[in-house]
Amino acid sequence: MIQITVWNENFHESTKEEIAKIYPKGIHGAIKEGLETEADFTVRTATLTDPEHGLTQEVLDNTDVLLWWGHMKHNDVADEVVERVHKRVLDGMGLIVLHSGHASKIFKKLTGAASEDLKWRETGDMEKIWLMDPSHPIADGLPELIEIEHEETYGEHFNIPAPDEIVFMSWFSGGEIFRSGCTFKRGKGKIFYFRPGHESYPIFHREDIRQVLKNAVRWAKPLHNSPSVAYGHYNFE
Ligand code: ZN
């Protein structure tokens, strides 16, 4: 079984009626629903207001892949918890960072991104997400183009270090482009950043988006038998 934890700050859904209508079970609930159709996935959720944000050492030790949705409350995430997640990623836990999670403490710490740096606009532009790498495991079963009728616009320049791979690239009807699916490796951990998922559109109810997340979980999960690695002063014996 692949153990998955979906983390969400759960702020918009609990404070704005119109967002709660779109996500009655929270964004985390919708993501969970999308993932748990896979027979070999076990999915739990955690939110900001849970003790230790629901990300205790025990939870993280039993998580193969962590998904992260945050927007307004990045600074309310305790540094101690960020440190704990960071260590687990370096030790092999997969991390999938969604939408405005680009500005989360954990994404910035892991990638070094100056990641508030991008253009954005909420005018309901159409988004066309083009598949840039049809050989990539995250592309499995997807069409080469995902069209989303209305989304928040993000535009380049997106101030991240060069990703290892660009799996998706978006075009918006306002003319912007954006690297919407980026992979990074840090230590033994694999990280996937995926752009769509603004709270005021029902993005995580879509089958194609759910397929991306399922594929990303399978790609990001740790190796079966992770090799042990020595760092620091080393003598050949
Ligand atoms: Zn947004």
Side-chain angles (χ1 to χ4, degrees):
M1 295 299 283
I2 303 174
Q3 314 274 352
I4 300 161
T5 302
V6 180
W7 189 88
N8 177 21
E9 66 177 27
N10 195 31
F11 175 69
H12 297 290
E13 305 94 310
S14 39
T15 53
K16 281 189 188 162
E17 207 181 314
E18 65 269 29
I19 308 298
K21 267 188 198 147
I22 300 167
Y23 289 111
K25 295 176 190 163
I27 287 174
H28 53 295
I31 293 172
K32 178 176 191 272
E33 229 170 65
L35 291 171
E36 65 192 1
T37 57
E38 299 293 284
D40 58 338
F41 285 8
T42 304
V43 190
R44 66 159 87 77
T45 62
T47 61
L48 182 68
T49 52
D50 295 338
E52 302 183 55
H53 313 321
L55 300 175
T56 61
Q57 191 63 54
E58 198 197 337
V59 165
L60 291 175
D61 286 345
N62 291 291
T63 298
D64 296 312
V65 181
L66 175 66
L67 290 90
W68 193 280
W69 198 102
H71 178 216
M72 297 299 285
K73 298 289 177 182
H74 296 314
N75 287 333
D76 292 3
V77 177
D79 291 338
E80 190 190 329
V81 172
V82 175
E83 191 58 41
R84 207 182 280 160
V85 173
H86 183 256
K87 277 211 178 83
R88 275 289 293 135
V89 172
L90 297 184
D91 197 39
M93 181 181 75
L95 178 69
I96 299 171
V97 175
L98 300 165
H99 188 58
S100 39
H102 66 83
S104 63
K105 287 181 181 177
I106 186 61
F107 185 71
K108 291 196 281 190
K109 187 175 170 77
L110 279 163
T111 64
S115 52
E116 270 100 68
D117 294 356
L118 49 73
K119 293 182 181 66
W120 64 273
R121 181 176 63 242
E122 283 188 66
T123 47
D125 277 357
M126 174 194 272
E127 177 174 12
K128 293 191 179 202
I129 306 170
W130 289 97
L131 181 58
M132 301 293 287
D133 185 353
S135 73
H136 201 282
I138 296 177
D140 207 0
L142 291 170
E144 72 167 333
L145 174 63
I146 295 173
E147 272 194 43
I148 300 180
E149 204 184 341
H150 300 293
E151 244 290 19
E152 179 182 17
T153 301
Y154 278 10
E156 298 280 349
H157 177 234
F158 181 22
N159 200 1
I160 49 172
D164 296 334
E165 300 159 309
I166 298 173
V167 185
F168 301 106
M169 177 80 84
S170 288
W171 169 92
F172 295 87
S173 48
E176 289 81 2
I177 57 166
F178 195 81
R179 288 167 288 172
S180 277
C182 300
T183 72
F184 304 87
K185 289 177 186 169
R186 296 291 183 269
K188 295 184 193 173
K190 302 187 205 81
I191 302 158
F192 179 56
Y193 170 75
F194 190 51
R195 195 217 75 88
H198 186 62
E199 68 277 1
S200 58
Y201 301 107
I203 304 298
F204 295 111
H205 295 298
R206 293 173 59 109
E207 277 315 310
D208 43 13
I209 298 297
R210 289 178 164 188
Q211 188 62 47
V212 172
L213 299 186
K214 288 174 193 174
N215 293 347
V217 164
R218 293 190 188 284
W219 169 82
K221 72 176 192 305
L223 301 181
H224 254 305
N225 291 303
S226 180
S228 68
V229 177
Y231 292 107
H233 180 251
Y234 188 74
N235 282 323
F236 286 98
E237 309 248 342

